[in-house]
Amino acid sequence: MAAGTTVETLAEHASFGGVQGFYRHASDAIGAPMRFGVYRPPQALAGAAVPALVWLAGLTCTEETFAIKAGAQRVAAELGLMLVTPDTSPRDTGVPGADAHWDFGHGAGFYLDATQAPWAARWRMESWIAHELPAVLAANFPGRRDATGLFGHSMGGHGALTLALRHPGQWRSVSAFAPVAAPMHCPWGVKAFTNYLGEDRSAWAAHDATELVASGKRAPPLLVDVGLADKFLAEQLNIDRFEAACRAAGQSLTLRRHAGYDHGYFFIASFVEDHLRFHADALKGA
């Protein structure tokens, strides 16, 4: 087994007949240790290779957030889905300013490869998620690489949409909760893109889901949920802009708007079963 795919077990917990674990490996892409969680359903413990579903979390979150707050293991155990929860950025980098803002730096990798100093040396989240982590999972866990889905929340919803559009065919199913769907046009995205990618807005467009759809990139049929009581809906998410781009381009999109729901994990926990079943149905035919 290659050194980069060797996994250290940090903790494991029995859950709904399966095992929720947290792990770490030495990432060549990042140049530092990276953490991630894996839920192995009971079918995997019995020896089956199972479909896998990768969750990309939002700003300030870690590899533990979804596993602890979403309540997804019960349904994943029923459906035989392996859940993978990568961390949201490199950690303990020592980069000046990396902890200065809650929406940038540590905990805010935006699922792209930075090109600007000092971020370019460590902030290589796209390379880790799209290339290195799948190899680590294949070497150590029973998930089916040919039947893998991708979903996420907020910054992670942005990541799910953009990575699926940028790497066609890699993920067989895609969904998002409250995604930052047009980051070129919101404060979170402008801040991240300026610092990670520089001033060239064409580089920004390559990591903006709305621009990618408009440019002809395609993803599998998308399921997106947003809460109408989300305080970030108007300024940060730009869901209407993304919906219009999908409609104009013919990208399949099921967009559900939920009255009374906000941006947090109570919203996610309320509809996560729908998303797990959506992915399970799509991955069965992979």
Side-chain angles (χ1 to χ4, degrees):
M1 186 182 296
T5 62
T6 301
V7 165
E8 174 189 2
T9 300
L10 302 178
E12 291 186 328
H13 312 275
S15 178
F16 294 98
V19 173
Q20 175 65 60
F22 299 100
Y23 308 93
R24 177 168 56 201
H25 82 110
S27 168
D28 294 329
I30 303 294
M34 290 297 291
R35 303 194 305 260
F36 61 96
V38 176
Y39 176 69
R40 287 173 288 158
Q43 296 87 340
L45 299 187
V50 296
L53 189 51
V54 179
W55 170 265
L56 304 183
L59 292 165
T60 75
C61 294
T62 73
E63 76 284 357
E64 295 184 342
T65 310
F66 179 84
I68 293 171
K69 291 186 174 183
Q73 291 90 346
R74 176 185 62 81
V75 179
E78 174 196 335
L79 298 174
L81 289 174
M82 188 174 87
L83 303 176
V84 181
T85 55
D87 199 357
T88 53
S89 81
R91 302 286 174 173
D92 303 319
T93 60
V95 173
D99 289 320
H101 305 278
W102 70 272
D103 56 356
F104 179 77
H106 291 154
F110 273 83
Y111 304 103
L112 52 77
D113 287 355
T115 60
Q116 304 299 301
W119 315 104
R122 292 284 185 267
W123 270 256
R124 298 183 53 78
M125 292 296 291
E126 180 172 7
S127 290
W128 184 51
I129 297 291
H131 303 300
E132 188 176 21
L133 186 58
V136 172
L137 295 169
N140 294 277
F141 300 94
R144 289 176 51 194
R145 197 164 181 175
D146 66 332
T148 301
L150 185 66
F151 67 154
H153 168 234
S154 193
M155 177 187 71
H158 144 78
L161 296 176
T162 57
L163 292 181
L165 289 161
R166 286 171 58 82
H167 301 272
Q170 180 162 348
W171 291 283
R172 299 299 186 94
S173 56
V174 185
S175 71
F177 289 86
V180 182
M184 291 180 67
H185 303 282
C186 77
W188 286 341
V190 170
K191 182 176 185 176
F193 287 0
T194 300
N195 285 280
Y196 289 144
L197 302 174
E199 299 290 344
D200 181 1
R201 293 182 69 88
S202 67
W204 298 12
H207 297 278
D208 181 300
T210 299
E211 296 296 323
L212 287 167
V213 167
S215 74
K217 300 292 186 182
R218 292 294 176 268
L222 302 172
L223 171 64
V224 174
D225 281 346
V226 296
L228 294 180
D230 188 330
K231 66 181 180 180
F232 302 116
L233 182 60
E235 184 180 27
Q236 302 284 9
L237 304 188
N238 285 297
I239 294 297
D240 293 345
R241 189 185 293 262
F242 181 67
E243 181 183 30
C246 289
R247 185 184 301 114
Q251 166 65 53
S252 176
L253 169 66
T254 299
L255 175 59
R256 308 191 305 181
R257 296 174 171 88
H258 302 278
Y261 286 90
D262 61 21
H263 196 72
Y265 266 81
F266 293 111
F267 164 52
I268 294 167
S270 297
F271 300 103
V272 71
E273 180 170 350
D274 292 354
H275 283 246
L276 296 184
R277 295 191 183 279
F278 168 82
H279 286 276
D281 287 346
L283 296 174
K284 283 177 184 176

